[in-house]
Amino acid sequence: MINGIKPLDRSLRWGMVGGGGTSQIGYIHRSAALRDNTFTLLAGAFDIDAERGRAFGTSLGVDSHRCYADYETLFRQEAERADGIEAVSIATPNNTHFAICKAALEYGLHVVCEKPLCFTTAEAEALAELSQKQNKIVGLTYGYSGFQLIQQARSMIAEGLLGDIRIVNMSFSHGFHNEAVELDNPSTRWRVDPKFVGPSYVLGDLATHPLFLAETLLPALKIKRLMCSRQSFVKTRAPLEDNAFVLMEYDNGAVGSLWCSAVNSGSMHGQRIRAIGSKASIEWWDEQPNQLRYEVQGEPVRILERGMSYLAPHVLEEDRISGGHAEGLFEAWSNLYRRFAIAMDATDRGDKALLARFWYPDVHAGVAGVRWVERCVESADAGAIWVDFAS
Ligand code: NAI
């Protein structure tokens, strides 16, 4: 059980780029990073508007001299300090991730980066190589993968409880953008502008989440080829899609489907994953993250509840409040940040044994997501044809 005691004998000196006072996602980064005393927030370039960023940083208690106007100044000046930051989180719009992540690694920082990692496979692979060369980790905030019951599902599948895996059915389909809400909402406006998001909207913004859940549940399953059809129901969003369907074939003969949408009117989030085997199925829904459905053919449905003693012991190690109480996205993110800190510390100590058996959404998860989006766009724009995934 996690009880607030530091898992490390140090707290990593930490900074942020983006995630300012008006951002959607900055607060959950800070809540998660600071929750277990594994990171101390000491510096940042929090906002595209330097003055607003400084005012915000100081309101968080960061020294005003360490609230910088931009990320280059942040990295350069912190590198000159004996007590400069060791790790940085990047919570800015997508078009900036590659340059900021590259610069951070070049300055010898560990990185936590928002998804998608960048826009092209070539860029993503360059970041993976740089991270290896610098011996610094890049963690990706696929936040839903931090839910305990995702780790439980992974264990049950690894134990063979589902039998041979046949079908993976995924969706992330909400209704919040069923109209052109971007006209009044700056946080949505950049999401539908190719200058900021590159070649896709919902494929990169939404679909990469359940895609990573599938990679987490089924690490052995490799996509062989895929086919994508994408649409812009709000016409002003074209060529970016606000809805897409993707079919996948895996190398073991299994098949998968993923529906991502921002125009699923009435739906709150609609992120689900269902893994179907020859004996049984498992299903998890992010709107009820404390329950996992386990359905054995011919038997009554079992609903596994978070925090209960019948879960795997390593899953219970990440329990924060015991069964019966709801945990949510903030706890899932905290679990991930805790893992990022452990991986950063192990990397610094050269603890290869720990890293070899340690799971967290790493730079390869970032590369896989970027490659997947790239292939989906290629397929859709060629008329929804099958394209090889790996080539
Ligand atoms: P937002 O538009 O609400 O906030 C962006 C923040 O970054 C603002 O504070 C802005 O001033 C700052 N910023 C922009 N350019 C900057 C720069 N060059 N230097 C420093 N600060 C800069 O965006 P939101 O929704 O917070 O998204 C940020 C990132 O987080 C995106 O990549 C998005 O895809 C990702 N995201 C991830 C989620 C997840 O579940 N992992 C959920 C929501 C967003």
Side-chain angles (χ1 to χ4, degrees), residues 24-37:
Q24 183 190 7
I25 208 69
Y27 177 50
I28 195 168
H29 276 272
R30 283 183 293 278
S31 304
L34 303 176
R35 175 80 66 93
D36 294 325
N37 298 305

Side-chain angles (χ1 to χ4, degrees), residues 204-333:
D205 198 43
L206 304 179
T208 48
H209 282 294
L211 184 77
F212 183 66
L213 292 183
E215 286 169 31
T216 306
L217 262 53
L218 299 153
L221 217 55
K222 301 293 170 219
I223 301 170
K224 205 171 61 178
R225 58 180 199 151
L226 60 75
M227 176 203 276
C228 174
S229 166
R230 61 173 183 160
Q231 301 75 37
S232 320
F233 282 105
V234 174
K235 296 297 168 209
T236 46
R237 291 175 184 160
L240 298 184
E241 77 291 344
D242 49 23
N243 187 81
F245 295 98
V246 184
L247 286 180
M248 282 159 278
E249 288 178 357
Y250 298 96
D251 60 358
N252 72 338
V255 291
S257 67
L258 199 163
W259 173 34
C260 53
S261 185
V263 295
N264 181 15
S265 305
S267 165
M268 285 304 290
H269 233 213
Q271 183 178 197
R272 288 177 192 267
I273 179 161
R274 182 174 175 85
I276 302 169
S278 51
K279 293 196 281 201
S281 302
I282 253 177
E283 182 166 326
W284 181 84
W285 177 28
D286 76 346
E287 293 175 34
Q288 290 183 2
N290 293 279
Q291 285 83 32
L292 179 68
R293 288 176 75 89
Y294 173 44
E295 303 171 14
V296 181
Q297 180 56 35
E299 296 181 13
V301 172
R302 269 163 262 189
I303 310 285
L304 277 59
E305 294 279 347
R306 190 201 54 71
M308 298 300 289
S309 58
Y310 49 72
L311 302 180
H314 72 90
V315 172
L316 289 170
E317 278 172 20
E318 283 192 331
D319 190 53
R320 290 172 182 272
I321 184 67
S322 75
H325 305 91
E327 286 189 4
L329 195 59
F330 279 68
E331 285 73 29
W333 276 63

Side-chain angles (χ1 to χ4, degrees), residues 20 23-25 47-48 92 94 97 114-115 141 187 190-191:
S23 76
Q24 183 190 7
I25 208 69
D47 202 298
I48 188 75
T92 52
N94 305 358
H97 294 173
E114 266 305 345
K115 40 52 62 176
T141 37
S187 254
W190 66 257
R191 283 177 158 79

Side-chain angles (χ1 to χ4, degrees), residues 47-59:
D47 202 298
I48 188 75
D49 179 318
E51 271 324 300
R52 206 169 53 182
R54 178 164 286 114
F56 179 67
T58 52
S59 77

